[in-house]
Amino acid sequence: MAEKSSFYIPAEHLGDTKWLEEKIHPRSSAESGGDRLQSAIAVDGSLMVVPVRDGLPSVRYGYAQSAAIWLDISAMEHQKKQRFVDPVALGQAVNSALVSYDLPVAGAYVRQGVSIADSWRETIDSIFRAKKIEVNRMNQSLLSLLFLLHGIPAAPAKTVPVNCPASRCTQKEIPVPQRGASCPACSTHLYPTDVLRIHEEVVEDGSNESALGRLMQVVELLVVTGLATLLWEQSRSALFGSTMFIMDGPMAVYGPPAKLRSRALKFFQSMASTTPGSAPYICGIEKTGTVVDYATTLARHDVLKPGDLLVVDADVIAAITNTENPAAYGAETYWGRKFAYRSVDGRTVVLTVLPPEGNPYDDHGGQPLPSAYPSLPAILDVVDRTGSSMYRNGIIPVSLAHSKAAYPIGVGTDVLRLAAREKLGLTDLMRNN
């Protein structure tokens, strides 16, 4: 019976596509008379969970890192025009920064008598206090960036709202400062990083790789927040207004930390309201997913032609996801709106873009039209100018960020496993055995 089963895959069953014609806009209709962006900052992350050693399969150690690269688009384009490319000039056109962090994700605890959830809580708090984003004149801890994101660009929040993690306590949105606090009802110690609620996804028996992924997506968001704020403070009308910020993946927050979605939207819209022009130019680029599959199929059948932009409204979402309520899609997770674009050289790119005001998605369909996103024309221009063959439908800034963040496979796994044994104090034990 399994061999005879059949499933409905929207990307493979396009049917009549005439209904899409009114949702496809030529890029020329989104042109603007503003200056072209001159640089791009891309952020990408990578994670790996490794078993510590044979005989302890339940003990797993997690590694994650997030990389940010700055690309001088003008310098890159200048080299394209040269007969011989100058590798030194290309090297100078790219700068990078990396923040890495690690923790035991399963089977090992910070001390005896502590649950895996509390072990994660304590470790995340330590990571956020110790790890810093250090670039140019920026030297901020992840914890300070978390409080910044809960405020506005010029004024970080003094407290964050934390739900008490104790199983029998019902206290919610307790204001917790950076130093931490105690629950007023049960006296449980509260860490400010408890606001992320990542510990709610942690289980005793499992790899907890998904929880590490949630942590990584939060760190990527904080890196973008810090770098954008740095340029906004130092060169609001010049460098900030000529730089595009790119996140690998959609501008969304999934799982327990999803409440950061509204924080990110408020934060960057506050930045937009105090900046001349259409900045900030910020977007997410998706390499995989149902919308990517659908858009790729449309391009393969030439429904999407080079230079075409597909508006992913409720009708398109319904066709792609089979959801019962497409109008409410993304309302709880996305702080940017999806568009599918076929670049002038034929690449298919699915991107999310920030609206300067209002919600990109809400219970009534949000803002699907390109006119609500004044930064979109400049973003599409960068997509056209930075095509990459490093991966399918890629763009150079994201490719560079990925190369900085990715862990090597094979030998890299063995090295991380050895490092995990050392961190957990198992090296001497193995020698004795």
Side-chain angles (χ1 to χ4, degrees):
M1 291 180 63
E3 292 178 353
K4 295 180 180 179
S5 297
S6 61
F7 300 90
Y8 175 69
I9 303 174
E12 297 300 324
H13 297 82
L14 289 181
D16 184 6
T17 59
K18 289 185 178 179
W19 65 278
L20 285 170
E21 292 179 359
E22 63 180 14
K23 304 177 189 301
I24 295 175
H25 298 229
R27 183 179 167 228
S28 58
S29 66
E31 294 286 358
S32 71
D35 295 332
R36 304 177 85 189
L37 302 184
Q38 302 302 312
S39 58
I41 292 176
V43 176
D44 190 15
S46 180
L47 64 84
M48 184 173 289
V49 174
V50 297
V52 173
R53 68 176 174 89
D54 295 337
L56 290 177
S58 63
V59 180
R60 294 180 176 271
Y61 205 88
Y63 296 87
Q65 56 189 17
S66 299
I69 68 95
W70 173 82
L71 173 66
D72 186 336
I73 299 175
S74 299
M76 181 199 70
E77 289 183 314
H78 177 73
Q79 286 300 307
K80 281 183 178 181
K81 299 176 182 178
Q82 303 302 310
R83 182 178 179 184
F84 299 105
V85 174
D86 183 353
V88 175
L90 280 180
Q92 293 174 341
V94 180
N95 287 313
S96 64
L98 182 73
V99 56
S100 59
Y101 41 100
D102 56 85
L103 71 159
V105 295
Y109 309 82
V110 291
R111 59 184 173 276
Q112 187 175 0
V114 176
S115 70
I116 190 67
D118 285 338
S119 185
W120 269 72
R121 291 177 56 229
E122 186 172 328
T123 304
I124 291 175
D125 180 73
S126 297
I127 289 173
F128 272 55
R129 292 179 188 278
K131 295 298 180 178
K132 294 183 177 181
I133 310 298
E134 299 176 289
V135 57
N136 196 5
R137 282 175 276 179
M138 179 180 172
N139 184 16
Q140 288 187 278
S141 68
L142 294 176
L143 186 60
S144 64
L145 292 175
L146 180 64
F147 276 78
L148 176 63
L149 185 61
H150 278 78
I152 57 176
K158 297 186 181 300
T159 62
V160 292
V162 170
N163 296 342
C164 181
S167 58
R168 297 183 180 179
C169 187
T170 59
Q171 291 289 310
K172 297 185 180 298
E173 298 194 349
I174 305 164
V176 176
Q178 287 200 28
R179 65 179 181 275
S182 296
C183 175
C186 67
S187 300
T188 296
H189 182 72
L190 305 176
Y191 302 103
T193 48
D194 288 340
V195 70
L196 302 175
R197 300 170 57 192
I198 292 174
H199 57 274
E200 295 179 8
E201 205 167 48
V202 177
V203 296
E204 293 284 355
D205 298 316
S207 68
N208 289 320
E209 188 168 344
S210 62
L212 184 60
R214 306 297 189 207
L215 178 61
M216 187 182 72
Q217 74 169 351
V218 170
V219 172
E220 290 180 22
L221 174 56
L222 295 179
V223 171
V224 172
T225 300
L227 293 176
T229 304
L230 176 68
L231 294 189
W232 179 83
E233 290 176 340
Q234 294 186 358
S235 183
R236 193 174 311 180
S237 59
L239 188 57
F240 180 71
S242 63
T243 300
M244 176 172 161
F245 298 88
I246 309 170
M247 302 183 69
D248 182 51
M251 290 163 55
V253 186
Y254 300 107
K259 284 190 175 181
L260 282 185
R261 169 259 175 202
S262 60
R263 301 291 181 178
L265 183 63
K266 177 183 176 182
F267 183 88
F268 286 104
Q269 286 183 338
S270 175
M271 193 173 277
S273 67
T274 55
T275 304
S278 300
Y281 299 96
I282 182 170
C283 75
I285 302 289
E286 300 180 48
K287 296 194 290 285
T288 59
T290 54
V291 179
V292 174
D293 294 339
Y294 192 75
T296 301
T297 302
L298 292 179
R300 187 169 64 245
H301 289 82
D302 223 26
V303 178
L304 264 186
K305 298 178 174 60
D308 280 351
L309 179 73
L310 174 65
V311 173
V312 185
D313 61 9
D315 294 334
V316 176
I317 292 170
I320 296 174
T321 65
N322 277 354
T323 181
E324 295 180 356
N325 186 15
Y329 173 90
E332 300 297 326
T333 52
Y334 278 79
W335 53 283
R337 184 83 195 197
K338 283 182 189 284
F339 293 91
Y341 177 60
R342 190 174 184 191
S343 65
V344 292
D345 61 2
R347 289 171 295 119
T348 305
V349 179
V350 173
L351 58 156
T352 42
V353 185
L354 176 78
E357 56 185 21
N359 288 305
Y361 296 95
D362 58 29
D363 293 338
H364 307 289
Q367 303 181 79
L369 297 179
S371 57
Y373 303 84
S375 65
L376 183 58
I379 290 173
L380 297 182
D381 179 60
V382 171
V383 170
D384 281 332
R385 293 157 62 197
T386 60
S388 169
S389 60
M390 293 180 70
Y391 61 83
R392 184 182 182 187
N393 298 323
I395 68 171
I396 289 174
V398 175
S399 299
L400 292 172
H402 179 74
S403 67
K404 294 292 182 182
Y407 287 105
I409 59 175
V411 176
T413 303
D414 296 333
V415 171
L416 294 179
R417 185 180 292 113
L418 289 172
R421 292 172 185 167
E422 190 72 31
K423 287 175 177 289
L424 292 174
L426 296 174
T427 305
D428 293 338
L429 179 63
M430 292 183 65
R431 289 171 182 162
N432 295 334
N433 291 338

